[in-house]
Amino acid sequence: MPGHFEPTPGGGAAVALDEVEISIIRSLAVQLLELIGPGPAEDAPDDPLAEIFTDGPSEPPSDPVLFRLFPDAYGGPGTEDATGDEADELMAYSAEFRRFTENDLRARKREDALAVVHTLDALGAAGDGGAVLKLAPEQSRQWLGALNDLRLAIGARLDVSDEDDADLLYRLPDSDPRKPMVMAYLWLGGLQETLVSTLMS
């Protein structure tokens, strides 16, 4: 179990983490929460209809990490050469889609990151031997979402856009200042991969 998730009875997952690993994941999750931003104000009226009809932003984020977390819906491979009316149409579709979906997407990402923080806090002091984190099925799905978001955020900072870029990370010299971030990126990828395998077993 050290370093990778394993299935638990009832469809959950468990992983052994040492004190340093707990601290790193918690710190990254908190940074992700700060990046995503706060949720609705606590004193806001509890009106589900108001939440449904609250428009989100229509412009993409300027921060490359936020753009990786909240990409345009109508873009990507095959659309780079769009010009004139076609490009304007794609931009309009993306703006409309973002306006109606980004608030919900932000809320889900925020909930996933908060679930990571809360489950780690529930472990208490890990001590020298660390602790075994046991996740219920819903918590496992939230962790999977948060691990994916953390890797997207770190990948954006490292300017990783495809598999070839990721392969180059393995060959970075130890003297490269990006090395700690690369190690976190690769480690989180391993956790994510074993959690996916666990949930599919």
Side-chain angles (χ1 to χ4, degrees):
M1 184 186 303
H4 62 272
F5 280 95
E6 292 182 359
T8 59
V15 63
L17 299 170
D18 65 31
E19 197 170 3
V20 173
E21 291 169 333
I22 291 169
S23 175
I24 290 170
I25 296 173
R26 190 186 188 285
S27 174
L28 289 172
V30 168
Q31 290 176 53
L32 181 63
L33 283 166
E34 291 171 353
L35 185 66
I36 292 171
E42 290 181 11
D43 57 352
D46 187 17
D47 181 359
L49 288 178
E51 290 181 19
I52 291 172
F53 293 108
T54 299
D55 287 349
S58 58
E59 295 293 322
S62 58
D63 185 310
V65 175
L66 283 173
F67 186 76
R68 184 77 62 94
L69 292 171
F70 306 103
D72 276 333
Y74 298 92
T79 62
E80 302 92 344
D81 298 330
T83 57
D85 291 344
E86 185 181 11
D88 291 343
E89 195 172 287
L90 287 173
M91 287 175 58
Y93 287 152
S94 289
E96 192 75 356
F97 187 84
R98 184 179 296 279
R99 190 162 67 92
F100 290 113
T101 61
E102 187 169 313
N103 283 346
D104 287 342
L105 188 56
R106 279 182 183 266
R108 184 178 58 74
K109 290 180 183 297
R110 192 179 299 112
E111 288 168 10
D112 290 347
L114 276 172
V116 169
V117 173
H118 291 157
T119 53
L120 291 176
D121 287 350
L123 288 175
D128 291 338
V132 175
L133 175 71
K134 295 180 180 177
L135 302 174
E138 178 58 25
Q139 290 173 322
S140 297
R141 286 186 285 277
Q142 289 177 308
W143 263 73
L144 188 58
L147 287 172
N148 185 62
D149 289 340
L150 288 173
R151 290 193 78 239
L152 286 173
I154 295 172
R157 289 286 185 242
L158 292 169
D159 202 23
V160 175
S161 58
D162 58 30
E163 211 53 47
D164 291 337
D165 292 336
D167 288 342
L168 292 175
L169 298 179
Y170 288 98
R171 297 193 288 275
L172 279 181
D174 290 342
S175 59
D176 193 301
R178 296 171 294 169
K179 190 72 172 188
M181 199 183 301
V182 167
M183 296 305 293
Y185 178 81
L186 298 173
W187 173 57
L188 291 172
L191 283 176
Q192 182 182 12
E193 186 177 336
T194 61
L195 184 52
V196 168
S197 298
T198 295
L199 294 177
M200 293 179 67
S201 63

